[in-house]
Amino acid sequence: METLNDKLKDKQLEVEYPCNWCYKVIASEKEALQNAIKEVIDERSHKLTDSNKSKTGKYVSMNLDLLVHNEDDRKFIYDALKNHQDIKMVL
C-alpha cells in the first residue's frame, strides 16, 4: 500500500511568500521557552499561544505564529529555535 510519504517523496512543498507560519515549540519550562523565543525572534511581531503540557508536566509546548518572508527566513527561524539550548523540539 502506498502511503502519503511515498507520494510526496522527492516533492518540494510549494509555499507563496510572504505568509504566516506556525511553529510548535517544545521545552521543559514555559518561562524558559518564552525567553528562548524572544532571543531568537527579537522584536519581530509574533503571536505566542499555549498549546499542550505532557501528562507528567515534564514538557510544555507553545505555538509561535509569525510572518515569514521567504524560504530562507522560515528555515533560519526553525534552525535557530531548534538549536537553542532551552528548546527540546520544533515542529
Side-chain angles (χ1 to χ4, degrees), residues 25 33-42 46 48 64 81:
V25 187
L33 176 57
Q34 292 169 324
N35 290 334
I37 289 171
K38 274 186 188 176
E39 287 177 28
V40 170
I41 63 167
D42 196 29
H46 67 282
L48 190 60
L64 170 64
L81 290 168

Side-chain angles (χ1 to χ4, degrees), residues 30-54:
K30 184 175 180 176
E31 187 175 330
L33 176 57
Q34 292 169 324
N35 290 334
I37 289 171
K38 274 186 188 176
E39 287 177 28
V40 170
I41 63 167
D42 196 29
E43 297 294 320
R44 198 164 168 169
S45 178
H46 67 282
K47 181 180 175 186
L48 190 60
T49 55
D50 291 329
S51 184
N52 295 317
K53 186 185 281 191
S54 65

Side-chain angles (χ1 to χ4, degrees), residues 62-80:
M62 299 187 83
N63 295 321
L64 170 64
D65 293 293
L66 72 156
L67 181 70
V68 293
H69 302 285
N70 54 47
E71 184 75 11
D72 290 337
D73 188 32
R74 184 182 66 80
K75 287 181 178 180
F76 175 82
I77 294 167
Y78 173 83
D79 289 337

